[in-house]
Amino acid sequence: MRRHPWIFESAIAKGGGDSGETVRVESHEGQFLAWAAYSPSSRIRARVWSFDEAQRIDAPFFIAACARSIIARARFDVQSDGVRLVHGESDGLPGLIVDRYGDTLVAQFTSAGTERWKDVIADALLRETGLTKLYERSDASVRTLEGLQPATGWLRGGPMGAGGDSEGPPLELAIHEHQWRLTLNIAEGHKTGFYLDQRDSRKRFADYAQRLGFKHVLNCFCYTGGFSVAALAGMRAAGASAEGHVTSIDSSGPALERARAHVALNGFDLNRASFLDADVNASLRQFLKEGQRFDAIVLDPPKFAPTAAHAERAARAYKDINRLALQLLTPGGVLFTFSCSGGISADLFHKIVASAGADAGVDGFILERLGGAPDHPMTLEFPEGEYLKGLVVMRKS
Ligand code: SAH
């Protein structure tokens, strides 16, 4: 049997359990297969904790799993004090995401199993990190598929006593990523507050900006401007910051405000940056009409295809923006293009960008393939872990 951690509803002949209950999974012949957490309402009806029959699924099991996951990070190359400590299935803990921002942990419990073991997991995380503050951001939409209500707030280290004068620890935090200072709000930001998975691609973008001396950069779906700061850092290192300009687009006002603050916080001239609160697709069309051109473009859209079922419509949306971006690039210009859709494979994404190029009448060199930062690992047994894929394409002529 392949040691894959998901058991779909359609693969189950009989049996069941309560939400999050540990169940023994057996083959048709009654042979032990796995211990799993049952989820009565999800299509993924059970998620595997262990393939070892002798393993007990108890508090020590979760303490050990959290410890393994945290220890592994010490061997990964992470240039930040914002780190993903637990990445769900890849770390043997399906439905658990834990990010550390400095001395604060932020966790997402998105499966019935992790919900059931929440207190044990929370204590294990604090124990293994030696930290005291843990905030919960279990407001991801996937929770509803598991029949769970959203839950947010301090799980550990929050304000003491009811109606006390303590406001609780800060929700507004700052991290050092590479040489940059970036801020986030763990209660209001996307996901747990920040897109840690793009850390190394932002650094790559800074490297290209420096080496190629970017002058006109367009950062689409910029969120809080990580790629914009990276571009400005690269330009400054190349001695080109006095001439360069970075345009950042997002449809979220608060994200753009923070992007602007990040430019200033990192010592860059705000005259070299502009921020557009707009729809990316419409803006790209407008730029084309105006005859604008850019020597570097980032396309980092939200998940257009959460699952394979959405792949077709998503493919059209990806192709559209990639076609427009390729048309807007100057010859020799560079496109950093991404998909974070689980439903779009790396292979399919490559094909989509290729057909966007064909439609645009633009050929390009694929300089690099990019993926998530190493603290968002893929494993041999769980190919779905490859949700984030990127291509660096240089326009030929
Ligand atoms: N590159 C960012 C992360 C991007 S997340 C980083 O490095 O941090 C995707 C962003 O796309 C979100 O900030 C979201 O607000 C924005 N967004 C979603 N749909 C959009 C649209 N149609 N036009 C512009 N921005 C959009």
Side-chain angles (χ1 to χ4, degrees):
M1 175 201 173
R2 246 185 85 223
R3 288 154 66 96
H4 191 282
W6 290 351
I7 298 157
F8 283 90
E9 173 193 9
S10 53
I12 299 175
K14 60 175 193 222
D18 291 337
S19 181
E21 188 179 338
T22 301
V23 292
R24 183 186 161 93
V25 185
E26 293 178 350
S27 70
H28 198 62
E29 294 75 35
Q31 238 178 358
F32 172 84
L33 294 176
W35 296 110
Y38 195 73
S39 181
S41 56
S42 175
R43 269 210 325 123
I44 303 175
R45 196 51 58 92
R47 292 168 198 258
V48 172
W49 293 130
S50 174
F51 295 98
D52 175 3
E53 189 169 11
Q55 177 67 54
R56 283 191 56 182
I57 308 305
D58 51 10
F61 167 81
F62 288 100
I63 294 171
C66 289
R68 267 196 309 275
S69 186
I70 291 162
I71 288 165
R73 283 358 184 228
R75 300 178 64 84
F76 295 158
D77 182 13
V78 177
Q79 303 294 320
S80 177
D81 57 355
V83 189
R84 174 147 300 185
L85 294 182
V86 181
H87 189 56
E89 280 77 357
S90 301
D91 286 299
L93 290 165
L96 180 67
I97 295 295
V98 184
D99 290 335
R100 176 168 77 81
Y101 298 110
D103 66 356
T104 304
L105 299 178
V106 186
Q108 268 187 347
F109 299 84
T110 60
S111 63
T114 52
E115 179 71 15
R116 183 129 173 166
W117 289 95
K118 191 184 281 180
D119 277 325
V120 167
I121 290 169
D123 291 335
L125 290 169
L126 295 186
R127 184 182 141 148
E128 295 306 318
T129 55
L131 299 175
T132 56
K133 291 177 279 183
L134 171 63
Y135 192 83
E136 177 174 17
R137 273 300 297 273
S138 301
D139 53 352
S141 58
V142 288
R143 239 175 103 88
T144 53
L145 301 179
E146 298 272 318
L148 304 170
Q149 297 298 314
T152 56
W154 288 103
L155 260 187
R156 296 288 183 274
M160 302 298 288
D165 43 19
S166 152
E167 284 178 16
L171 300 170
E172 188 68 26
L173 303 175
I175 56 169
H176 283 103
E177 176 178 290
H178 307 293
Q179 301 89 324
W180 316 314
R181 193 89 176 130
L182 298 163
T183 67
L184 60 135
N185 187 299
I186 55 173
E188 289 161 12
H190 294 180
K191 306 213 285 187
T192 66
F194 196 69
Y195 291 89
L196 292 172
D197 51 1
Q198 288 286 34
R199 179 191 310 116
D200 292 354
S201 292
R202 287 189 282 264
K203 176 68 167 71
R204 286 308 283 147
F205 196 57
D207 295 343
Y208 276 86
Q210 176 175 0
R211 194 166 52 77
L212 299 177
F214 292 162
K215 299 277 186 311
H216 301 285
V217 176
L218 179 62
N219 181 9
C220 300
F221 308 98
C222 70
Y223 188 49
T224 58
F227 280 98
S228 308
V229 168
L232 289 163
M235 290 172 176
R236 180 160 65 189
S241 50
E243 312 138 63
H245 194 97
V246 180
T247 302
S248 306
I249 311 178
D250 205 279
S251 55
S252 155
L256 284 167
E257 255 173 63
R258 198 179 285 276
R260 185 191 299 274
H262 282 159
V263 168
L265 181 65
N266 287 278
F268 301 114
D269 183 354
L270 274 169
N271 293 321
R272 307 262 62 95
S274 44
F275 302 90
L276 286 182
D277 187 343
D279 171 63
V280 163
N281 197 303
S283 302
L284 295 177
R285 289 171 197 277
Q286 183 65 26
F287 291 150
L288 264 183
K289 232 190 258 169
E290 294 166 0
Q292 296 212 44
R293 291 293 179 271
F294 300 90
D295 50 15
I297 300 178
V298 178
L299 287 179
D300 186 19
K303 223 179 341 198
F304 287 158
T307 70
H310 304 80
E312 205 178 305
R313 207 176 56 202
R316 276 199 296 277
Y318 283 116
K319 185 172 155 185
D320 254 4
I321 54 171
N322 278 281
R323 176 176 50 77
L324 294 165
L326 286 166
Q327 287 175 309
L328 283 166
L329 268 189
T330 51
V334 172
L335 172 66
F336 270 54
T337 182
F338 298 95
S339 163
C340 60
S341 294
I344 304 272
S345 67
D347 200 37
L348 177 56
F349 185 57
H350 188 144
K351 288 195 179 109
I352 291 168
V353 177
S355 81
D359 280 12
V362 169
D363 198 3
F365 299 110
I366 296 175
L367 301 183
E368 279 186 61
R369 292 170 181 275
L370 300 173
D375 49 338
H376 300 61
M378 290 183 265
T379 63
L380 297 171
E381 291 162 1
F382 187 64
E384 289 85 349
E386 189 182 15
Y387 69 103
L388 177 59
K389 43 254 155 193
L391 291 173
V392 181
V393 182
M394 179 181 274
R395 179 167 170 161
K396 269 189 176 175
S397 53

